Every structure is written in structure tokens, then in C-alpha cells.
Amino acid sequence: ANTAWAFATLGLPAPKLFDAIVRESVQHIGSFTAQNLTNTVWAYASAGVHAPELFDAIAYESEQRIGSFKPRNLANTAW
């Protein structure tokens, strides 16, 4: 989550890195905190990276744990 966030924040194109993060994230999405989910979805959306498998996994996991999200997490994930 933090690596994707950093690259997106800096506007650095890194398609191979973003692809690798998708593969790993989807496998381990259950261990992400609400903040990790939020940062990851924000990073991909901000970088304009198309990752439907990742977004589906984040949507499912977020729905399961919506009660643990802080208002900021909800706003950033919905954005």
C-alpha cells in the first residue's frame, strides 16, 4: 500500500511495479488494514492504473469491514 501510494503521489509511472503490487495485494488483501485498503485504492485511482481485479478485491474486503473504517477512510475509498 505504501509503495503504490508513494509512486502515485510522486506521479512516477511504474506499470510493472503496479502490476506486481496487484498480484500480491489480491492474494493478501485480507491482512490489509482499513488504511491500507484506502491508500491502495487511492494510489491506483490517482495514478490512473486500470486494475479491476484489485478494485474488486478491495471493494469486497471494504464491504466486509466497513464498520472499522474511519470517516476519512470511507471518503477516500469512495473517491
Side-chain angles (χ1 to χ4, degrees), residues 2-47:
N2 290 336
T3 302
W5 178 88
F7 274 77
T9 298
L10 294 172
L12 299 173
K16 289 183 181 179
L17 174 65
F18 279 103
D19 288 346
I21 292 172
V22 167
R23 289 190 301 275
E24 289 300 314
S25 295
V26 168
Q27 291 179 356
H28 302 285
I29 203 80
S31 66
F32 279 34
T33 65
Q35 187 66 49
N36 293 146
L37 294 169
T38 298
N39 288 351
T40 302
V41 77
W42 179 90
Y44 278 77
S46 295

Side-chain angles (χ1 to χ4, degrees), residues 34-35 66-75:
Q35 187 66 49
I66 198 78
S68 69
F69 277 54
K70 295 178 181 175
R72 182 177 178 176
N73 298 136
L74 289 171

Side-chain angles (χ1 to χ4, degrees), residues 46-66:
S46 295
V49 177
H50 185 72
E53 183 181 8
L54 177 62
F55 280 99
D56 287 347
I58 290 173
Y60 176 80
E61 195 64 32
S62 297
E63 185 179 334
Q64 301 307 306
R65 296 192 277 146
I66 198 78

